[in-house]
Amino acid sequence: MIRTRLLTATLSITLLLASTPPAVAQEKTSTVEDIVAAVEKHYGEQANFSATFDQMVARQHLPDRPIKKS
C-alpha cells in the first residue's frame, strides 16, 4: 500500500516536471550589469525620493542608555 502511494507520487512528480514548457528552462539569466542598469534606470526616472530610518547606537560607557537616531 505504502509502496504503491510512493510510486504514484514519484510518477506524478516526474510527469509534472517533464511537462514543464521548454521556454521556462531556456529563460535568459540576467547578468550583474543588466541588473545594475535596470536599477539605475528605475531610480534615474524618479522625480522625488525620500527615506526614513531609525538607528539605535549602543554606548560602551552607558550600555543601558542607547542613543536613538532618526
Side-chain angles (χ1 to χ4, degrees):
M1 183 79 165
I2 294 174
R3 188 173 185 176
T4 304
R5 286 185 181 175
L6 180 61
L7 182 60
T8 303
T10 304
L11 182 60
S12 298
I13 291 170
T14 303
L15 289 173
L16 178 66
L17 293 175
S19 66
T20 304
V24 173
Q26 296 175 355
E27 189 174 305
K28 180 187 173 207
T29 57
S30 298
T31 64
V32 172
E33 291 82 11
D34 294 338
I35 295 168
V36 170
V39 170
E40 286 179 344
K41 180 179 183 259
H42 172 76
Y43 285 106
E45 295 172 349
Q46 303 303 311
N48 296 316
F49 184 81
S50 65
T52 60
F53 73 96
D54 292 320
Q55 177 182 7
M56 296 294 288
V57 179
R59 299 185 286 185
Q60 193 171 23
H61 63 286
L62 295 171
D64 59 331
R65 295 179 51 196
I67 299 173
K68 182 178 179 183
K69 302 284 183 173
S70 297

